[in-house]
């Protein structure tokens, strides 16, 4: 257990120190057209949660203009370490209801009569205020880490170059 944990920690540290290098690589040699193809082909399952234009699912933030507000480094960091910084209004919440159930998801709306939660499968759940026992904001992102494993380093540079080109 411990050697595996230490190895995982060492791997995370190594990845962190590489963020700058990967961002530079994406800016220098990433090919946006190739990145668009990896995304469209479903590599890394990005489309399961993100929309670009008319394609994809609106679970995570719409990425149609993400390049206008995020640098290469921020994009790389979002993919490698989603929980480091969590996009506004996409924080994960755990809501316990009076029937003893624990619901985890994103809060889509909040009104006088309750809140609407979207779970990781994209299902909407309406929880009336009277049934909500507790509500906690979690520190982890709904976006899973390690999705970079679906790409070669060159493909990742292409993907980031493409995301950066979306303005
Ligand atoms: C299971 C759903 C899911 C998958 C799969 C997923 N994401 Fe995300 N992503 C999210 C959610 C939810 C957020 C918002 C919370 C956060 O910032 O971590 C997010 C945030 C992001 C952000 C930051 C957006 C911003 O406004 O700063 C980027 C960039 C991003 N994802 C890119 C990707 C890419 C590229 C892939 C595929 C390799 C991917 N995501 C796969 C759910 C997902």
């Amino acid at each position: 257990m411990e050697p595996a944990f230490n190895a995982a920690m060492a791997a995370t540290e190594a990845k962190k120190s590489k963020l700058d290098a990967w961002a530079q690589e994406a800016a220098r040699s990433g090919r946006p057209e190739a990145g668009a193809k990896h995304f469209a082909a479903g590599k890394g399952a990005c489309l399961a949660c993100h929309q670009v234009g008319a394609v994809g699912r609106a679970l995570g933030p719409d990425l149609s203009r993400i390049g206008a507000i995020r640098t290469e480094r921020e994009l790389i960091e979002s993919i490698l370490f989603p929980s480091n910084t969590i996009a506004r209004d996409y924080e994960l919440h755990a809501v316990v209801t009076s029937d003893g159930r624990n619901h985890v998801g994103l809060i889509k709306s909040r009104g006088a009569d309750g809140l609407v939660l979207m779970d990781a499968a994209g299902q909407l759940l309406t929880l009336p205020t009277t049934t909500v026992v507790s509500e906690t904001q979690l520190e982890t992102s709904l976006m899973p880490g390690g999705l970079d494993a679906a790409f070669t380093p060159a493909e990742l540079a292409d993907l980031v170059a493409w995301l950066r080109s979306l303005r």
Side-chain angles (χ1 to χ4, degrees), residues 4-149:
F5 178 76
N6 290 339
M9 286 300 284
T12 300
E13 283 309 311
K15 270 193 193 173
K16 265 189 196 158
S17 65
K18 278 190 179 159
L19 280 179
D20 285 322
W22 286 8
Q24 280 163 20
E25 186 63 21
R28 195 174 48 227
S29 60
R31 299 160 305 160
E33 328 74 55
K37 286 193 190 129
H38 303 320
F39 185 84
K43 278 209 158 205
C46 318
L47 278 167
C49 298
H50 292 284
Q51 275 186 310
V52 172
V55 296
R57 192 160 61 157
L59 182 52
D62 187 320
L63 300 180
S64 304
R65 291 169 173 273
I66 194 71
I69 57 164
R70 302 283 180 247
T71 62
E72 281 86 358
R73 195 183 190 286
E74 289 167 330
L75 291 166
I76 272 279
E77 185 173 27
S78 289
I79 299 169
L80 265 50
F81 307 107
S83 298
N84 277 12
T85 57
I86 299 190
R88 263 245 319 268
D89 297 333
Y90 289 90
E91 299 91 357
L92 201 55
H93 286 79
V95 181
V96 177
T97 43
S98 48
D99 57 2
R101 294 180 62 189
N102 188 19
H103 309 273
V104 176
L106 309 174
I107 294 180
K108 284 294 160 190
S109 67
R110 193 190 283 279
D113 27 298
L115 49 87
V116 178
L117 203 71
M118 188 186 266
D119 70 14
Q123 301 280 13
L124 288 176
L125 199 69
T126 303
L127 303 174
T129 310
T130 49
T131 68
V132 174
V133 175
S134 73
E135 190 191 316
T136 321
Q137 185 172 315
L138 306 179
E139 302 284 319
T140 42
S141 174
L142 179 72
M143 177 167 160
L147 289 176
D148 54 295

